[in-house]
């Protein structure tokens, strides 16, 4: 993999050709990038976007590769790896304003805030990937979401080439959602994020599973940020939701499907079908969570298992994690098409049984719209 002669005298510095993308993703599948640039500064991002615009090339942004599925043919145009670094903070009273470059490791940032005693990100420990991906998906876990503490997102506007700041309101955060996935999809290349954290604040223990585990290990009624981080990491490890060498379930994109949120009418219909299907264990109630005014969330993993897809269900080189039914795993030698085929099988099984349509969480790179449009539509409402 060596640089080839640039396509113009102003080609981005360090541009490479036919770069394998599979090793740069946690799923480990997909073809090469026709052109690949790793931009370590905001100016390098701007220069690369300008060059691609002048050459009428599509630009595909790649972060840490933990929440993407790359097409087997690879990605045409130019793949831009945003590796902008830098971390700084300011303290005023009990508030900490923390800014981080989009290319910083997400978990490293979380670990730093916990060590410093700054509350707000502790339950998001162990999530792989970069800071720049956090606002796009509004990543969340164990009762916290990144959008709870993000104050500004800074990005390069692809239309003008200028750096713009989008405040929390403008980000329109929702459950695993933001303006960057909807109305402004593809418009901005995120280069930095600013958070507002609480110095000396209490850890957030809002999630029942986390609360139970902390009680089991005797953490006490007011666990520290460090205790909560350690507990979250252990819970994620038990589900193979950490990227660790040697884990048989490690080649995944984490949760492959978003937990569906339904309006009251759709939820009533789903509940009726679930009860009619006789899939509830004796004494079990349908797990459900309030997801905003008039909306209810049902765990996708629960639906998948009750539809007959147990942990470890396999189809050749692809299967469900042996520890978590929400993770689709490359068991070795899988292709992107294998993963899509298996995902459709899961999606169709849940839809046929319960009338609830699951939508994938990973970003699809290099696919033509018609190849994935049946999968990436909107969830049942």
């Amino acid at each position: 993999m060596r640089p080839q002669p640039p396509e113009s005298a102003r080609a981005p510095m360090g541009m490479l050709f036919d770069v394998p993308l599979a090793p740069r993703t946690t799923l480990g599948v997909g073809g090469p990038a026709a052109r690949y640039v790793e931009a370590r500064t905001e100016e390098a991002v701007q220069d690369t976007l300008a060059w691609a615009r002048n050459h009428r090339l599509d630009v595909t942004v790649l972060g840490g590769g933990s929440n993407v599925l790359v097409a087997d043919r690879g990605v045409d145009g130019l793949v831009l790896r945003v590796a902008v670094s830098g971390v700084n903070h300011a303290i005023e009273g009990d508030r900490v304003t923390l800014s981080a470059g989009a290319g910083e490791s997400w978990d490293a940032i979380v670990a730093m805030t916990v060590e410093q005693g700054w509350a707000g990100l502790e339950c998001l420990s162990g999530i792989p990937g970069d800071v720049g991906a956090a606002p796009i998906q509004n990543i969340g876990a164990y009762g916290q979401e990144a959008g709870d503490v993000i104050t500004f997102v800074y990005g390069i506007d692809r239309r003008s080439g200028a750096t713009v700041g989008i405040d929390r309101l403008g980000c329109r955060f929702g459950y695993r959602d933001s303006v960057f996935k909807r109305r402004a999809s593809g418009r901005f290349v995120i280069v930095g994020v600013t958070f507002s954290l609480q110095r000396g604040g209490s850890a957030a223990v809002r999630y029942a599973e986390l609360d139970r585990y902390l009680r089991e290990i005797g953490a006490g009624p007011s666990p520290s940020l460090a205790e909560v981080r350690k507990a979250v990491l252990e819970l994620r490890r038990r589900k193979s939701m950490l990227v660790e060498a040697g884990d048989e379930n490690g080649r995944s994109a984490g949760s492959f499907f978003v937990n569906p949120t339904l309006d009251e009418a759709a939820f009533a219909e789903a509940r009726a079908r679930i009860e009619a299907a006789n899939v509830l264990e004796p004494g079990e109630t349908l797990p459900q969570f309030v997801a905003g005014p008039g909306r209810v969330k049902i765990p996708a993993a629960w639906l998948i298992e009750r539809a007959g897809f147990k942990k470890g269900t396999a189809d050749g080189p692809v299967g469900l994690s042996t520890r978590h039914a929400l993770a689709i795993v490359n068991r070795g030698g899988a292709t992107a098409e294998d993963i899509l085929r298996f995902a459709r099988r899961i999606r169709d099984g849940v839809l046929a049984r319960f009338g609830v349509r699951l939508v994938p969480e990973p970003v699809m790179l290099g696919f033509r719209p018609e190849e994935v449009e049946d999968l990436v539509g909107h969830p049942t409402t």
Side-chain angles (χ1 to χ4, degrees), residues 218-296:
S222 299
S224 67
L225 298 180
E227 287 174 320
V228 168
R229 172 172 166 78
K230 184 177 180 180
V232 168
L233 290 174
E234 178 56 28
L235 290 174
R236 291 182 67 86
R237 181 173 290 110
R238 292 181 179 186
K239 299 173 185 177
S240 288
M241 288 295 184
L242 296 178
V243 178
E244 295 182 316
D247 187 345
E248 64 175 339
N249 300 303
R251 283 177 293 194
S252 82
S255 299
F256 196 89
F257 294 103
V258 176
N259 291 321
T261 61
L262 314 176
D263 63 26
E264 293 177 352
F267 175 72
E269 180 181 347
R271 180 171 58 189
R273 293 185 64 163
I274 288 168
E275 292 173 349
N278 197 30
V279 296
L280 293 169
E281 301 291 339
E284 182 186 22
T285 58
L286 171 62
Q288 55 188 276
F289 305 92
V290 176
R295 301 192 68 80
V296 182

Side-chain angles (χ1 to χ4, degrees), residues 155-172:
I156 310 299
D157 188 330
R158 296 200 200 200
R159 298 176 185 174
S160 67
T163 301
V164 297
I166 300 138
D167 63 15
R168 179 184 297 169
L169 184 62
C171 290
R172 297 182 180 271

Side-chain angles (χ1 to χ4, degrees), residues 8 45 82 90 92 105 111 125 146 170 179 184 195 241 247-248 257 269 281 289 297 309 327 374-375:
S8 84
V45 173
V82 179
E92 184 174 349
S105 161
S125 295
V179 71
F195 307 87
M241 288 295 184
D247 187 345
E248 64 175 339
F257 294 103
E269 180 181 347
E281 301 291 339
F289 305 92
K297 178 171 65 177
F309 303 101
D374 68 310
L375 266 176

Side-chain angles (χ1 to χ4, degrees), residues 6-207:
E7 297 176 356
S8 84
R10 296 180 59 82
M13 183 177 297
M15 186 164 70
L16 301 171
F17 296 78
D18 296 322
V19 175
L21 292 178
R24 290 169 168 80
T25 73
T26 54
L27 264 170
V29 302
R35 301 166 189 82
Y36 180 90
V37 173
E38 182 170 300
R40 297 183 175 275
T41 66
E42 182 179 321
E43 293 74 19
V45 173
Q46 289 175 314
D47 290 346
T48 301
L49 291 175
W51 182 87
R53 188 164 55 246
N54 290 338
H55 286 76
R56 299 182 181 180
L57 290 173
D58 291 331
V59 176
T60 299
V61 177
L62 179 68
S66 62
N67 195 43
V68 299
L69 176 62
V70 178
D72 293 319
R73 71 171 66 87
V75 182
D76 290 332
L78 185 148
V79 172
L80 173 60
R81 169 77 171 95
V82 179
V84 178
S85 60
V87 180
N88 58 72
H89 73 276
I91 299 176
E92 184 174 349
D94 66 348
R95 302 308 302 179
V96 179
T97 300
L98 174 71
S99 297
E104 293 286 343
S105 161
W106 174 261
D107 193 53
I109 293 295
V110 175
M112 184 197 72
T113 64
V114 169
E115 183 178 347
Q116 294 293 328
W118 303 337
L121 297 176
E122 60 278 357
C123 293
L124 305 182
S125 295
I127 297 177
D130 294 346
V131 166
I136 298 173
Q137 298 282 359
N138 186 20
I139 59 174
Y142 297 103
Q144 277 186 333
E145 291 183 337
D148 295 338
V149 293
I150 289 175
T151 55
F152 276 93
V153 174
Y154 297 93
I156 310 299
D157 188 330
R158 296 200 200 200
R159 298 176 185 174
S160 67
T163 301
V164 297
I166 300 138
D167 63 15
R168 179 184 297 169
L169 184 62
C171 290
R172 297 182 180 271
F173 290 123
Y175 171 67
R176 300 299 182 272
D177 197 18
S178 72
V179 71
F180 308 108
K181 287 183 67 176
R182 301 292 181 185
R183 190 176 63 186
S185 175
R187 178 172 176 180
F188 301 101
V189 176
I190 294 173
V191 293
V193 183
T194 297
F195 307 87
S196 178
L197 307 173
Q198 185 174 4
R199 184 170 63 156
S202 301
V205 184
R206 308 171 187 141
Y207 201 78

